[in-house]
Amino acid sequence: MIRTAEQVRDRFANRRLTVEYGDALETVRTILKSVELEGDAALDRWSEQLDGARVQEIPKREWREAYEGLEAGLRDALETAKERVEAFYRKEPQGGFLEATPEGVLGQLVRPLDRVGVYVPGGSAPLISSVLMAAVPAKVAGVGEIVLASPPRVHPAILAAAWVAGADRLFAMGGAQAIAAMAYGTERVPRVDKVMGPGNRYVVLAKREVYGSVGMEALPGPTETLIVADASADPRLLAADLLAQAEHGPDSEAWLLSPEGELLEAVAAELERQLSDLPRADVARQALARSGLVRVESLEQALEWANLYAPEHLCLSVREPLEHLGQVRNAGGIFLGEHSCEALGDYIAGPSHVMPTGGTARYGGGLALRDFLKVIPVVGLSGQTAARLAGLGARLAREEGLEGHARALDLRARHET
């Protein structure tokens, strides 16, 4: 299980986000096209065929009833998570600017999106945290309407989370057909401006196929964590954090990088001990087989390898994590110290758990208010300024071979009032 840094270098350096096609792509394209052309009729047909039920919009009365029916401890957890996520995003600046000078007006208008769709996977484990982690930041950003979609027989906890998050509408619909309905719109399902949320390969492929008709925050891949640890770290906590990641699915990745050989050996033993009674041990073992414990020469090398890997979650389980924060260039989210475990970030720490995967943290970060906002430049130059700049602009236009642009600018150059 323990590897050397050189053994993983190429794998870290050549990572990219991939979606397994198989026979799914043609199925997804067929679903998307039929919903685009036929609307609700195709939506219901696919929903009945794949999920065993027609699409329904679930009224808010049922959300409230589900919330009121929750055990008090779960209600408190939902409310606390919502409050912490909301408080975190209220700190993010979101204003534009408008500056008037003798040359005229230049600025930016910042406007929230009108409508956002959030896909919430169903199945045996209701992802109630996914509701809060997308809908609450959207609410803080001022999005006009938040539409949720989750496969039929929506779990009551998802209904309760929708109530807590302050979403506007919720449809019992899943899979590629739900993405199609939100991307294209039907008589019942409104067209959204952007689709958020994780899903299986059919959902991810559908999101990729409809991009352009609708915006996307990302194409989510398998989840991943990379931990950098020194001798101060507790092997029990490190093993527990690796397993918390590995139990997500067999394609998850959970890495530990450390220069401490004894620590790595202790963590390997702890993993075996904790796996012995983990309910999802089979899944976790498959994930660990594609991940591992890596011996590096120093913490500096560990952080360089971490930047190469660009993890969704980077955990600094070291004595003085703040001293190493400046070395981090690529990460979806950073967790400082072993008390700030990634599992807290999944649910209740404050930032959204929607973060880039598959190495895409090289060019993107975690979900932010800007994902729900659009920036509109504003230009209002005076006649004198326009005349002064027009000749230079015309020179550039002619270099590009765009005479029409140049002539429009020539006319401004002759009028200085």
Side-chain angles (χ1 to χ4, degrees):
M1 182 180 286
I2 298 176
R3 315 181 195 191
T4 66
E6 289 304 321
Q7 288 175 320
V8 300
R9 181 182 179 87
D10 287 345
R11 181 168 174 186
F12 278 27
N14 297 316
R15 255 167 39 96
R16 61 189 179 92
L17 182 65
T18 58
V19 181
E20 295 297 328
Y21 292 101
D23 57 357
L25 185 57
E26 283 307 310
T27 301
V28 165
R29 286 176 171 168
T30 299
I31 293 171
L32 295 176
K33 180 56 69 174
S34 63
V35 174
E36 182 183 15
L37 296 177
E38 302 174 52
D40 287 322
L43 182 60
D44 279 335
R45 186 169 68 249
W46 286 112
S47 187
E48 284 185 306
Q49 180 177 329
L50 298 173
D51 292 325
R54 292 166 63 90
V55 171
Q56 287 185 310
E57 181 172 3
I58 302 176
K60 282 191 174 182
R61 166 182 50 80
E62 294 186 27
W63 310 5
R64 187 184 68 250
E65 290 171 355
Y67 170 78
E68 292 170 348
L70 288 182
E71 180 265 323
L74 181 54
R75 277 206 311 271
D76 181 58
L78 277 173
E79 292 286 0
T80 301
K82 184 252 188 180
E83 289 166 6
R84 290 187 62 85
V85 174
E86 183 177 60
F88 179 87
Y89 284 97
R90 289 203 182 280
K91 292 182 174 69
E92 184 179 335
Q94 54 182 304
F97 70 93
L98 205 61
E99 184 178 26
T101 70
E103 293 189 341
V105 173
L106 288 175
Q108 290 180 339
L109 296 182
V110 179
R111 297 288 186 262
L113 303 181
D114 290 334
R115 184 182 291 122
V116 165
V118 178
Y119 187 85
V120 185
S124 58
L127 296 185
I128 55 178
S129 56
S130 293
V131 178
L132 301 178
M133 296 299 180
V136 173
K139 199 79 174 175
V140 173
V143 170
E145 187 174 44
I146 301 167
V147 178
L148 305 182
S150 191
R153 293 168 292 280
V154 180
H155 196 284
I158 290 177
L159 299 181
W163 178 259
V164 171
D168 296 289
R169 302 179 71 178
L170 193 160
F171 290 88
M173 60 180 183
Q177 62 271 23
I179 303 301
M182 292 190 288
Y184 303 133
T186 72
E187 284 192 26
R188 280 178 295 170
V189 182
R191 181 182 182 184
V192 304
D193 302 311
K194 198 168 192 176
V195 174
M196 327 286 286
N200 62 21
R201 64 174 178 159
Y202 291 93
V203 169
V204 176
L205 282 170
K207 289 177 69 175
R208 196 190 68 176
E209 291 294 306
V210 300
Y211 177 72
S213 296
V214 68
M216 296 291 162
E217 98 287 7
L219 294 178
T223 187
E224 61 207 27
T225 283
L226 187 149
I227 305 173
V228 173
D230 63 13
S232 70
D234 184 334
R236 293 175 306 158
L237 297 180
L238 293 175
D241 291 346
L242 292 170
L243 291 175
Q245 189 65 52
E247 74 170 354
H248 272 288
D251 52 0
S252 301
E253 295 193 10
W255 296 91
L256 171 62
L257 276 60
S258 177
E260 306 294 336
E262 290 185 8
L263 176 68
L264 295 175
E265 294 287 354
V267 171
E270 270 297 320
L271 284 171
E272 286 303 317
R273 188 184 68 78
Q274 294 184 30
L275 277 165
S276 65
D277 62 351
L278 188 70
R280 293 173 62 84
D282 289 345
V283 170
R285 286 187 186 278
Q286 292 178 67
L288 290 173
R290 54 183 290 119
S291 312
L293 314 181
V294 182
R295 176 80 179 268
V296 293
E297 294 179 3
S298 64
L299 288 180
E300 288 68 28
Q301 187 186 56
L303 287 161
E304 277 306 304
W305 257 241
N307 285 322
L308 200 61
Y309 184 80
E312 178 186 14
H313 312 110
L314 174 61
C315 306
L316 302 182
S317 292
V318 295
R319 183 174 286 105
E320 299 292 341
L322 282 173
E323 291 183 5
H324 300 279
L325 187 59
Q327 295 175 253
V328 179
R329 299 190 307 276
N330 302 324
I334 304 170
F335 300 81
L336 300 176
E338 60 185 18
H339 297 303
S340 303
C341 63
E342 185 271 324
L344 277 173
D346 274 345
Y347 296 107
I348 204 164
S352 172
H353 69 202
V354 180
M355 295 178 181
T357 60
T360 59
R362 290 180 295 109
Y363 55 81
L367 190 72
L369 288 194
R370 61 180 173 270
D371 291 298
F372 302 100
L373 302 171
K374 53 196 173 189
V375 178
I376 307 168
V378 178
V379 178
L381 301 178
S382 68
Q384 185 176 18
T385 300
R388 178 168 58 82
L389 297 177
L392 298 172
R395 177 68 184 83
L396 294 172
R398 290 194 168 96
E399 186 65 23
E400 292 183 348
L402 297 175
E403 183 61 24
H405 283 65
R407 291 179 184 181
L409 291 167
D410 288 342
L411 292 174
R412 270 66 181 189
R414 300 182 193 127
H415 294 82
E416 299 192 9
T417 58

